[in-house]
Amino acid sequence: MTMTEPPLATAEATARLDALLRPPRVVSGITPSGSLTLGNYLGALRRFVDGQTSQQGFFFIADLHATTTEHDPARLRELTLETAGLFFAAGLDARYSTVFVQSHVPAHVELAYLLESTAYVGELSRMIQFKEKGGRPRTRASLFTYPCLMAADILLYETQTVPVGGDQDQHVELCRDVAQRFNREYADTFVVPRLDKAALAARVADLLLPTSKMSKSAPPAAPGVVRMLDSPDTIRRKIARAVTDSRAQVRYDPVTQPGLSNLLDIIAAITHQSPHHVATGFSSYADVKRSCTDHVVEMLVPVQRRYAELARDRGHLVSLLDTGAAEARATAAPVLTRARDAMGLV
Ligand code: AQP
């Protein structure tokens, strides 16, 4: 530290004051573990775009998270650029939001390592994802430690709140525990984020397995998964084959009619109405499917057009990502420095 720099406690206090004075920050990532789905769009991307002028957004393609299980490097490369193209095609604008590839900002990995020296083996082994996918001799060590990477993803950007889906609660709780322990044991370093469940978005289910989430890591041709880049014909075919039931009664009831309710949820999310209200406008399942198809196609076609333009100019896409990474590195650097200093690294 040079004589002109404020002492650590003052630097932290200044950072905390800055955090209170600036527009709220939001940070979120999408793992390039498959081609993005309608669920990723309605549950994440569209919300990123909607909030971008009122919040300072840091949105990243979480390529490092895609390496915790077996993966094909060529496919990861392709999906990383495809996902980035879809972020911009969906409407993220580099004038408002910082869009970057996680591995282009080494502070994520550096802070993750420092947090691994703060987290306990006991708490990492209790993580549901590790319990479900881990425990095999060839389980990657990164699957065990990735909650620390996730905590770093959040803490580096000093967000006050983290909007999360139900399956992510545990990760945010771990992030809070580790940040609080670090602040207590070393020095007050991190802004400890709160969990924000109020901001939860619609959850889109698989069209053929309506009690399961629509997942991008399903096999590429999975018929129950609508991809953001599916052609209108493919979307029409998939929705036409969506599972419903034999009641022939249009009602919104996710427990007894999960397939139909999923289609109503999709229409409701697109049109910003309640699914109960949407249900009152239909008398047959065929009408629901037709309307759902029309809404999805109408919403996705303009995104697909913008994506096609971006995909033609890969150099431009790469330069947008370079700019985003430079901004993210500059934002993350002081937090990483404070953490290093607090831990006694010279
Ligand atoms: N079906 C969904 N409905 C609503 N939102 C969804 N999201 C994912 N699926 C749906 C939201 O998209 C973001 C993706 O986060 P992620 O890449 O960390 O992966 P995930 O949450 O595990 O989602 P996926 O798409 O199902 O990926 P895989 O198949 O790799 O596990 C999050 O904001 C999530 O809420």
Side-chain angles (χ1 to χ4, degrees):
M1 186 183 285
T2 65
M3 292 303 286
T4 51
E5 282 175 339
L8 188 59
T10 314
E12 206 288 323
T14 309
R16 211 166 275 272
L17 190 63
D18 279 352
L20 286 174
L21 295 178
R22 66 174 175 240
R25 278 188 185 167
V26 58
V27 57
S28 198
I30 296 191
T31 307
S33 51
S35 203
L36 296 197
T37 70
L38 177 63
N40 295 133
Y41 183 71
L42 290 175
L45 256 185
R46 192 180 67 166
R47 293 195 312 147
F48 299 171
V49 174
D50 287 349
Q52 72 177 334
T53 52
S54 55
Q55 293 175 321
Q56 194 184 4
F58 292 85
F59 303 114
F60 60 95
I61 296 94
D63 56 347
L64 294 166
H65 287 288
T67 65
T68 54
T69 50
E70 212 172 303
H71 73 281
D72 169 14
R75 178 92 179 120
L76 177 58
R77 223 168 272 131
E78 185 192 322
L79 282 173
T80 298
L81 290 174
E82 180 185 296
T83 306
L86 283 171
F87 274 34
F88 290 110
L92 283 180
D93 183 330
R95 285 173 301 174
Y96 305 115
S97 299
T98 301
V99 178
F100 60 100
V101 176
Q102 183 189 28
S103 67
H104 294 180
V105 183
H108 287 243
V109 179
E110 277 186 71
L111 183 60
Y113 182 76
L114 302 188
L115 297 178
E116 281 173 32
S117 300
T118 310
Y120 299 139
V121 168
E123 59 196 351
L124 292 177
S125 18
R126 284 194 294 275
M127 303 305 284
I128 293 164
Q129 297 221 2
F130 180 70
K131 283 208 232 166
E132 283 174 359
K133 297 190 199 158
R136 289 184 276 271
R138 294 173 69 89
T139 297
R140 296 184 177 183
S142 59
L143 185 71
F144 183 64
T145 56
Y146 93 92
C148 293
L149 179 59
M150 211 158 176
D153 296 339
I154 297 169
L155 297 175
L156 281 173
Y157 299 95
E158 305 195 290
T159 51
Q160 310 276 357
T161 58
V162 185
V164 287
D167 48 352
Q168 300 290 339
D169 287 15
Q170 215 194 5
H171 289 121
V172 180
E173 285 303 344
L174 181 99
C175 170
R176 286 172 50 80
D177 288 348
V178 170
Q180 278 162 344
R181 190 177 309 143
F182 190 104
N183 285 351
R184 211 171 41 241
E185 288 184 4
Y186 297 112
D188 204 7
T189 303
F190 298 120
V191 173
V192 181
R194 286 188 316 275
L195 229 132
D196 176 11
K197 289 197 182 184
L200 282 193
R203 185 180 150 99
V204 179
D206 189 291
L207 299 180
L208 295 187
L209 296 166
T211 49
S212 307
K213 188 175 74 154
M214 184 180 280
S215 275
K216 63 174 130 55
S217 61
V225 177
V226 174
R227 310 275 173 181
M228 286 182 69
L229 292 176
D230 276 347
S231 70
D233 273 352
T234 305
I235 295 172
R236 206 172 302 282
R237 206 175 48 246
K238 287 179 176 174
I239 295 179
R241 290 188 190 154
V243 165
T244 47
D245 54 70
S246 54
R247 284 187 173 78
Q249 193 185 8
V250 181
R251 269 187 329 148
Y252 180 70
D253 184 348
V255 177
T256 60
Q257 297 182 263
L260 175 70
S261 299
N262 187 37
L263 299 176
L264 295 170
D265 268 331
I266 294 171
I267 301 174
I270 296 175
T271 59
H272 301 283
Q273 298 178 71
S274 92
H276 290 281
H277 177 73
V278 169
T280 60
F282 297 107
S283 52
S284 77
Y285 291 1
D287 283 349
V288 174
K289 287 185 172 180
R290 241 188 320 272
S291 168
C292 185
T293 304
D294 291 345
H295 281 299
V296 172
V297 168
E298 194 181 323
M299 177 181 72
L300 289 182
V301 163
V303 178
Q304 295 178 353
R305 252 188 237 122
R306 286 193 293 273
Y307 176 82
E309 279 167 31
L310 275 159
R312 272 195 291 277
D313 188 355
R314 198 161 261 212
H316 178 55
L317 178 61
V318 168
S319 87
L320 286 172
L321 291 173
D322 284 346
T323 305
E327 282 171 19
R329 282 194 292 267
T331 306
V335 181
L336 179 65
T337 302
R338 283 206 310 274
R340 288 176 50 98
D341 286 348
M343 285 187 89
L345 304 177
V346 291

